[in-house]
PDB file of all heavy atoms in Angstrom:
ATOM      1  N   TYR M   1       1.122 149.067 -28.528  1.00 95.00           N
ATOM      2  CA  TYR M   1       1.907 148.510 -29.624  1.00 95.00           C
ATOM      3  C   TYR M   1       1.592 149.279 -30.906  1.00 95.00           C
ATOM      4  O   TYR M   1       0.449 149.254 -31.375  1.00 95.00           O
ATOM      5  CB  TYR M   1       1.604 147.030 -29.803  1.00 95.00           C
ATOM      6  CG  TYR M   1       2.010 146.195 -28.613  1.00 95.00           C
ATOM      7  CD1 TYR M   1       1.061 145.552 -27.828  1.00 95.00           C
ATOM      8  CD2 TYR M   1       3.355 146.062 -28.272  1.00 95.00           C
ATOM      9  CE1 TYR M   1       1.440 144.793 -26.724  1.00 95.00           C
ATOM     10  CE2 TYR M   1       3.741 145.295 -27.171  1.00 95.00           C
ATOM     11  CZ  TYR M   1       2.776 144.668 -26.407  1.00 95.00           C
ATOM     12  OH  TYR M   1       3.159 143.925 -25.321  1.00 95.00           O
ATOM     13  N   PRO M   2       2.574 149.971 -31.481  1.00 95.00           N
ATOM     14  CA  PRO M   2       2.303 150.867 -32.611  1.00 95.00           C
ATOM     15  C   PRO M   2       1.848 150.154 -33.884  1.00 95.00           C
ATOM     16  O   PRO M   2       1.207 150.767 -34.736  1.00 95.00           O
ATOM     17  CB  PRO M   2       3.646 151.581 -32.828  1.00 95.00           C
ATOM     18  CG  PRO M   2       4.671 150.660 -32.248  1.00 95.00           C
ATOM     19  CD  PRO M   2       3.996 149.990 -31.094  1.00 95.00           C
ATOM     20  N   PHE M   3       2.154 148.873 -34.028  1.00 96.00           N
ATOM     21  CA  PHE M   3       1.805 148.165 -35.264  1.00 96.00           C
ATOM     22  C   PHE M   3       0.373 147.637 -35.248  1.00 96.00           C
ATOM     23  O   PHE M   3      -0.135 147.185 -36.272  1.00 96.00           O
ATOM     24  CB  PHE M   3       2.783 147.004 -35.502  1.00 96.00           C
ATOM     25  CG  PHE M   3       2.916 146.071 -34.325  1.00 96.00           C
ATOM     26  CD1 PHE M   3       2.020 145.029 -34.132  1.00 96.00           C
ATOM     27  CD2 PHE M   3       3.929 146.252 -33.408  1.00 96.00           C
ATOM     28  CE1 PHE M   3       2.141 144.175 -33.057  1.00 96.00           C
ATOM     29  CE2 PHE M   3       4.058 145.393 -32.311  1.00 96.00           C
ATOM     30  CZ  PHE M   3       3.164 144.356 -32.132  1.00 96.00           C
ATOM     31  N   LEU M   4      -0.287 147.685 -34.096  1.00 97.00           N
ATOM     32  CA  LEU M   4      -1.678 147.251 -34.021  1.00 97.00           C
ATOM     33  C   LEU M   4      -2.615 148.389 -34.419  1.00 97.00           C
ATOM     34  O   LEU M   4      -2.306 149.565 -34.215  1.00 97.00           O
ATOM     35  CB  LEU M   4      -2.026 146.800 -32.603  1.00 97.00           C
ATOM     36  CG  LEU M   4      -1.331 145.547 -32.061  1.00 97.00           C
ATOM     37  CD1 LEU M   4      -1.793 145.277 -30.635  1.00 97.00           C
ATOM     38  CD2 LEU M   4      -1.609 144.344 -32.948  1.00 97.00           C
ATOM     39  N   THR M   5      -3.762 148.053 -34.971  1.00 97.00           N
ATOM     40  CA  THR M   5      -4.785 149.059 -35.256  1.00 97.00           C
ATOM     41  C   THR M   5      -5.548 149.370 -33.975  1.00 97.00           C
ATOM     42  O   THR M   5      -5.399 148.672 -32.960  1.00 97.00           O
ATOM     43  CB  THR M   5      -5.772 148.558 -36.314  1.00 97.00           C
ATOM     44  OG1 THR M   5      -6.515 147.439 -35.774  1.00 97.00           O
ATOM     45  CG2 THR M   5      -5.051 148.129 -37.595  1.00 97.00           C
ATOM     46  N   GLY M   6      -6.392 150.385 -34.015  1.00 96.00           N
ATOM     47  CA  GLY M   6      -7.200 150.708 -32.854  1.00 96.00           C
ATOM     48  C   GLY M   6      -8.095 149.552 -32.452  1.00 96.00           C
ATOM     49  O   GLY M   6      -8.216 149.226 -31.267  1.00 96.00           O
ATOM     50  N   GLU M   7      -8.715 148.935 -33.424  1.00 97.00           N
ATOM     51  CA  GLU M   7      -9.600 147.807 -33.150  1.00 97.00           C
ATOM     52  C   GLU M   7      -8.817 146.632 -32.558  1.00 97.00           C
ATOM     53  O   GLU M   7      -9.258 146.011 -31.580  1.00 97.00           O
ATOM     54  CB  GLU M   7     -10.298 147.364 -34.436  1.00 97.00           C
ATOM     55  CG  GLU M   7     -11.315 146.249 -34.244  1.00 97.00           C
ATOM     56  CD  GLU M   7     -12.023 145.905 -35.537  1.00 97.00           C
ATOM     57  OE1 GLU M   7     -11.336 145.740 -36.563  1.00 97.00           O
ATOM     58  OE2 GLU M   7     -13.264 145.814 -35.519  1.00 97.00           O
ATOM     59  N   GLU M   8      -7.652 146.350 -33.126  1.00 97.00           N
ATOM     60  CA  GLU M   8      -6.831 145.243 -32.625  1.00 97.00           C
ATOM     61  C   GLU M   8      -6.342 145.512 -31.213  1.00 97.00           C
ATOM     62  O   GLU M   8      -6.221 144.589 -30.390  1.00 97.00           O
ATOM     63  CB  GLU M   8      -5.644 145.023 -33.564  1.00 97.00           C
ATOM     64  CG  GLU M   8      -6.029 144.434 -34.919  1.00 97.00           C
ATOM     65  CD  GLU M   8      -4.885 144.469 -35.909  1.00 97.00           C
ATOM     66  OE1 GLU M   8      -3.923 145.247 -35.705  1.00 97.00           O
ATOM     67  OE2 GLU M   8      -4.952 143.719 -36.895  1.00 97.00           O
ATOM     68  N   THR M   9      -6.076 146.778 -30.913  1.00 97.00           N
ATOM     69  CA  THR M   9      -5.599 147.143 -29.575  1.00 97.00           C
ATOM     70  C   THR M   9      -6.658 146.845 -28.518  1.00 97.00           C
ATOM     71  O   THR M   9      -6.371 146.227 -27.490  1.00 97.00           O
ATOM     72  CB  THR M   9      -5.213 148.634 -29.532  1.00 97.00           C
ATOM     73  OG1 THR M   9      -4.131 148.864 -30.429  1.00 97.00           O
ATOM     74  CG2 THR M   9      -4.804 149.052 -28.127  1.00 97.00           C
ATOM     75  N   VAL M  10      -7.880 147.293 -28.768  1.00 97.00           N
ATOM     76  CA  VAL M  10      -8.955 147.043 -27.801  1.00 97.00           C
ATOM     77  C   VAL M  10      -9.228 145.546 -27.700  1.00 97.00           C
ATOM     78  O   VAL M  10      -9.458 145.010 -26.603  1.00 97.00           O
ATOM     79  CB  VAL M  10     -10.235 147.808 -28.202  1.00 97.00           C
ATOM     80  CG1 VAL M  10     -11.340 147.572 -27.166  1.00 97.00           C
ATOM     81  CG2 VAL M  10      -9.961 149.305 -28.319  1.00 97.00           C
ATOM     82  N   TRP M  11      -9.193 144.850 -28.842  1.00 97.00           N
ATOM     83  CA  TRP M  11      -9.397 143.404 -28.864  1.00 97.00           C
ATOM     84  C   TRP M  11      -8.323 142.709 -28.010  1.00 97.00           C
ATOM     85  O   TRP M  11      -8.630 141.801 -27.234  1.00 97.00           O
ATOM     86  CB  TRP M  11      -9.340 142.903 -30.304  1.00 97.00           C
ATOM     87  CG  TRP M  11      -9.766 141.473 -30.482  1.00 97.00           C
ATOM     88  CD1 TRP M  11      -9.056 140.354 -30.189  1.00 97.00           C
ATOM     89  CD2 TRP M  11     -11.032 141.019 -30.985  1.00 97.00           C
ATOM     90  NE1 TRP M  11      -9.772 139.229 -30.488  1.00 97.00           N
ATOM     91  CE2 TRP M  11     -10.985 139.597 -30.982  1.00 97.00           C
ATOM     92  CE3 TRP M  11     -12.171 141.674 -31.458  1.00 97.00           C
ATOM     93  CZ2 TRP M  11     -12.060 138.822 -31.432  1.00 97.00           C
ATOM     94  CZ3 TRP M  11     -13.226 140.885 -31.898  1.00 97.00           C
ATOM     95  CH2 TRP M  11     -13.176 139.497 -31.889  1.00 97.00           C
ATOM     96  N   PHE M  12      -7.062 143.159 -28.151  1.00 96.00           N
ATOM     97  CA  PHE M  12      -5.945 142.576 -27.401  1.00 96.00           C
ATOM     98  C   PHE M  12      -6.159 142.708 -25.901  1.00 96.00           C
ATOM     99  O   PHE M  12      -6.023 141.732 -25.137  1.00 96.00           O
ATOM    100  CB  PHE M  12      -4.638 143.255 -27.816  1.00 96.00           C
ATOM    101  CG  PHE M  12      -3.466 142.939 -26.940  1.00 96.00           C
ATOM    102  CD1 PHE M  12      -2.825 141.704 -27.013  1.00 96.00           C
ATOM    103  CD2 PHE M  12      -2.997 143.877 -26.026  1.00 96.00           C
ATOM    104  CE1 PHE M  12      -1.737 141.411 -26.190  1.00 96.00           C
ATOM    105  CE2 PHE M  12      -1.907 143.580 -25.212  1.00 96.00           C
ATOM    106  CZ  PHE M  12      -1.279 142.345 -25.290  1.00 96.00           C
ATOM    107  N   TYR M  13      -6.523 143.914 -25.446  1.00 96.00           N
ATOM    108  CA  TYR M  13      -6.719 144.121 -24.017  1.00 96.00           C
ATOM    109  C   TYR M  13      -7.948 143.378 -23.506  1.00 96.00           C
ATOM    110  O   TYR M  13      -7.992 142.943 -22.351  1.00 96.00           O
ATOM    111  CB  TYR M  13      -6.818 145.614 -23.702  1.00 96.00           C
ATOM    112  CG  TYR M  13      -5.468 146.284 -23.687  1.00 96.00           C
ATOM    113  CD1 TYR M  13      -5.007 147.000 -24.796  1.00 96.00           C
ATOM    114  CD2 TYR M  13      -4.633 146.174 -22.585  1.00 96.00           C
ATOM    115  CE1 TYR M  13      -3.756 147.601 -24.788  1.00 96.00           C
ATOM    116  CE2 TYR M  13      -3.375 146.777 -22.574  1.00 96.00           C
ATOM    117  CZ  TYR M  13      -2.946 147.479 -23.683  1.00 96.00           C
ATOM    118  OH  TYR M  13      -1.702 148.052 -23.670  1.00 96.00           O
ATOM    119  N   GLY M  14      -8.929 143.209 -24.370  1.00 95.00           N
ATOM    120  CA  GLY M  14     -10.091 142.416 -23.988  1.00 95.00           C
ATOM    121  C   GLY M  14      -9.740 140.958 -23.778  1.00 95.00           C
ATOM    122  O   GLY M  14     -10.209 140.312 -22.827  1.00 95.00           O
ATOM    123  N   LYS M  15      -8.871 140.431 -24.645  1.00 95.00           N
ATOM    124  CA  LYS M  15      -8.455 139.036 -24.534  1.00 95.00           C
ATOM    125  C   LYS M  15      -7.681 138.792 -23.244  1.00 95.00           C
ATOM    126  O   LYS M  15      -7.929 137.803 -22.536  1.00 95.00           O
ATOM    127  CB  LYS M  15      -7.585 138.643 -25.735  1.00 95.00           C
ATOM    128  CG  LYS M  15      -8.348 138.487 -27.035  1.00 95.00           C
ATOM    129  CD  LYS M  15      -9.234 137.252 -27.031  1.00 95.00           C
ATOM    130  CE  LYS M  15      -8.423 135.975 -27.166  1.00 95.00           C
ATOM    131  NZ  LYS M  15      -9.304 134.779 -27.252  1.00 95.00           N
ATOM    132  N   ILE M  16      -6.746 139.696 -22.908  1.00 92.00           N
ATOM    133  CA  ILE M  16      -5.968 139.477 -21.688  1.00 92.00           C
ATOM    134  C   ILE M  16      -6.793 139.767 -20.431  1.00 92.00           C
ATOM    135  O   ILE M  16      -6.367 139.433 -19.328  1.00 92.00           O
ATOM    136  CB  ILE M  16      -4.657 140.304 -21.674  1.00 92.00           C
ATOM    137  CG1 ILE M  16      -4.952 141.808 -21.679  1.00 92.00           C
ATOM    138  CG2 ILE M  16      -3.768 139.922 -22.836  1.00 92.00           C
ATOM    139  CD1 ILE M  16      -3.683 142.657 -21.580  1.00 92.00           C
ATOM    140  N   SER M  17      -7.975 140.378 -20.620  1.00 92.00           N
ATOM    141  CA  SER M  17      -8.892 140.595 -19.495  1.00 92.00           C
ATOM    142  C   SER M  17      -9.875 139.434 -19.344  1.00 92.00           C
ATOM    143  O   SER M  17     -10.725 139.461 -18.449  1.00 92.00           O
ATOM    144  CB  SER M  17      -9.668 141.901 -19.672  1.00 92.00           C
ATOM    145  OG  SER M  17      -8.800 143.020 -19.649  1.00 92.00           O
ATOM    146  N   GLY M  18      -9.768 138.454 -20.242  1.00 92.00           N
ATOM    147  CA  GLY M  18     -10.584 137.249 -20.101  1.00 92.00           C
ATOM    148  C   GLY M  18     -11.857 137.209 -20.914  1.00 92.00           C
ATOM    149  O   GLY M  18     -12.679 136.302 -20.741  1.00 92.00           O
ATOM    150  N   LEU M  19     -12.059 138.163 -21.817  1.00 94.00           N
ATOM    151  CA  LEU M  19     -13.267 138.168 -22.634  1.00 94.00           C
ATOM    152  C   LEU M  19     -13.119 137.168 -23.788  1.00 94.00           C
ATOM    153  O   LEU M  19     -12.054 137.063 -24.390  1.00 94.00           O
ATOM    154  CB  LEU M  19     -13.553 139.564 -23.198  1.00 94.00           C
ATOM    155  CG  LEU M  19     -14.300 140.546 -22.276  1.00 94.00           C
ATOM    156  CD1 LEU M  19     -13.473 140.879 -21.048  1.00 94.00           C
ATOM    157  CD2 LEU M  19     -14.644 141.830 -23.029  1.00 94.00           C
ATOM    158  N   ASN M  20     -14.202 136.465 -24.113  1.00 95.00           N
ATOM    159  CA  ASN M  20     -14.157 135.513 -25.216  1.00 95.00           C
ATOM    160  C   ASN M  20     -14.501 136.206 -26.534  1.00 95.00           C
ATOM    161  O   ASN M  20     -14.852 137.396 -26.571  1.00 95.00           O
ATOM    162  CB  ASN M  20     -15.086 134.328 -24.961  1.00 95.00           C
ATOM    163  CG  ASN M  20     -16.548 134.756 -24.788  1.00 95.00           C
ATOM    164  OD1 ASN M  20     -17.021 135.670 -25.456  1.00 95.00           O
ATOM    165  ND2 ASN M  20     -17.254 134.076 -23.894  1.00 95.00           N
ATOM    166  N   LYS M  21     -14.406 135.451 -27.621  1.00 94.00           N
ATOM    167  CA  LYS M  21     -14.585 136.018 -28.953  1.00 94.00           C
ATOM    168  C   LYS M  21     -15.971 136.629 -29.142  1.00 94.00           C
ATOM    169  O   LYS M  21     -16.110 137.733 -29.678  1.00 94.00           O
ATOM    170  CB  LYS M  21     -14.338 134.940 -30.013  1.00 94.00           C
ATOM    171  CG  LYS M  21     -14.431 135.445 -31.441  1.00 94.00           C
ATOM    172  CD  LYS M  21     -14.111 134.345 -32.430  1.00 94.00           C
ATOM    173  CE  LYS M  21     -14.217 134.850 -33.868  1.00 94.00           C
ATOM    174  NZ  LYS M  21     -13.915 133.763 -34.849  1.00 94.00           N
ATOM    175  N   ALA M  22     -16.993 135.919 -28.690  1.00 95.00           N
ATOM    176  CA  ALA M  22     -18.363 136.414 -28.855  1.00 95.00           C
ATOM    177  C   ALA M  22     -18.559 137.735 -28.116  1.00 95.00           C
ATOM    178  O   ALA M  22     -19.216 138.654 -28.635  1.00 95.00           O
ATOM    179  CB  ALA M  22     -19.352 135.367 -28.346  1.00 95.00           C
ATOM    180  N   MET M  23     -18.011 137.840 -26.927  1.00 95.00           N
ATOM    181  CA  MET M  23     -18.132 139.069 -26.146  1.00 95.00           C
ATOM    182  C   MET M  23     -17.393 140.211 -26.821  1.00 95.00           C
ATOM    183  O   MET M  23     -17.890 141.342 -26.865  1.00 95.00           O
ATOM    184  CB  MET M  23     -17.601 138.842 -24.730  1.00 95.00           C
ATOM    185  CG  MET M  23     -18.366 137.813 -23.926  1.00 95.00           C
ATOM    186  SD  MET M  23     -17.525 137.333 -22.396  1.00 95.00           S
ATOM    187  CE  MET M  23     -17.656 138.836 -21.456  1.00 95.00           C
ATOM    188  N   LEU M  24     -16.208 139.932 -27.344  1.00 95.00           N
ATOM    189  CA  LEU M  24     -15.399 140.970 -27.975  1.00 95.00           C
ATOM    190  C   LEU M  24     -16.010 141.465 -29.280  1.00 95.00           C
ATOM    191  O   LEU M  24     -15.895 142.647 -29.618  1.00 95.00           O
ATOM    192  CB  LEU M  24     -13.983 140.456 -28.220  1.00 95.00           C
ATOM    193  CG  LEU M  24     -13.112 140.317 -26.973  1.00 95.00           C
ATOM    194  CD1 LEU M  24     -11.843 139.542 -27.272  1.00 95.00           C
ATOM    195  CD2 LEU M  24     -12.770 141.689 -26.410  1.00 95.00           C
ATOM    196  N   GLN M  25     -16.648 140.585 -30.022  1.00 95.00           N
ATOM    197  CA  GLN M  25     -17.277 140.986 -31.282  1.00 95.00           C
ATOM    198  C   GLN M  25     -18.370 142.028 -31.046  1.00 95.00           C
ATOM    199  O   GLN M  25     -18.627 142.872 -31.913  1.00 95.00           O
ATOM    200  CB  GLN M  25     -17.856 139.766 -31.994  1.00 95.00           C
ATOM    201  CG  GLN M  25     -16.791 138.886 -32.640  1.00 95.00           C
ATOM    202  CD  GLN M  25     -17.371 137.631 -33.261  1.00 95.00           C
ATOM    203  OE1 GLN M  25     -18.414 137.117 -32.828  1.00 95.00           O
ATOM    204  NE2 GLN M  25     -16.711 137.124 -34.287  1.00 95.00           N
ATOM    205  N   LYS M  26     -18.963 141.998 -29.878  1.00 95.00           N
ATOM    206  CA  LYS M  26     -19.981 142.988 -29.525  1.00 95.00           C
ATOM    207  C   LYS M  26     -19.369 144.184 -28.806  1.00 95.00           C
ATOM    208  O   LYS M  26     -19.722 145.337 -29.074  1.00 95.00           O
ATOM    209  CB  LYS M  26     -21.045 142.340 -28.630  1.00 95.00           C
ATOM    210  CG  LYS M  26     -22.113 143.314 -28.161  1.00 95.00           C
ATOM    211  CD  LYS M  26     -23.110 142.625 -27.235  1.00 95.00           C
ATOM    212  CE  LYS M  26     -24.165 143.615 -26.744  1.00 95.00           C
ATOM    213  NZ  LYS M  26     -25.134 142.974 -25.812  1.00 95.00           N
ATOM    214  N   ARG M  27     -18.437 143.904 -27.912  1.00 95.00           N
ATOM    215  CA  ARG M  27     -17.904 144.928 -27.036  1.00 95.00           C
ATOM    216  C   ARG M  27     -16.979 145.911 -27.745  1.00 95.00           C
ATOM    217  O   ARG M  27     -17.040 147.129 -27.496  1.00 95.00           O
ATOM    218  CB  ARG M  27     -17.135 144.245 -25.884  1.00 95.00           C
ATOM    219  CG  ARG M  27     -16.627 145.180 -24.808  1.00 95.00           C
ATOM    220  CD  ARG M  27     -17.739 145.721 -23.971  1.00 95.00           C
ATOM    221  NE  ARG M  27     -17.226 146.517 -22.860  1.00 95.00           N
ATOM    222  CZ  ARG M  27     -17.873 147.539 -22.320  1.00 95.00           C
ATOM    223  NH1 ARG M  27     -19.060 147.889 -22.793  1.00 95.00           N
ATOM    224  NH2 ARG M  27     -17.359 148.194 -21.313  1.00 95.00           N
ATOM    225  N   VAL M  28     -16.095 145.430 -28.626  1.00 96.00           N
ATOM    226  CA  VAL M  28     -15.101 146.296 -29.257  1.00 96.00           C
ATOM    227  C   VAL M  28     -15.744 147.390 -30.114  1.00 96.00           C
ATOM    228  O   VAL M  28     -15.412 148.579 -29.951  1.00 96.00           O
ATOM    229  CB  VAL M  28     -14.084 145.461 -30.060  1.00 96.00           C
ATOM    230  CG1 VAL M  28     -13.155 146.376 -30.855  1.00 96.00           C
ATOM    231  CG2 VAL M  28     -13.263 144.579 -29.122  1.00 96.00           C
TER     232      VAL M  28
END
């Protein structure tokens, strides 16, 4: 999605892969 930033893109795919907020804050 061109309107998302790089960070938002990885965060988005992490969410649809089932990662929670705490995991994403470290993983991204």
Side-chain angles (χ1 to χ4, degrees):
Y1 296 114
F3 53 85
L4 294 179
T5 66
E7 184 177 47
E8 289 169 341
T9 297
V10 182
W11 190 283
F12 169 75
Y13 282 99
K15 287 289 287 184
I16 63 177
S17 296
L19 277 64
N20 60 37
K21 183 177 179 181
M23 297 169 68
L24 287 168
Q25 285 176 332
K26 177 182 179 181
R27 186 71 175 150
V28 173

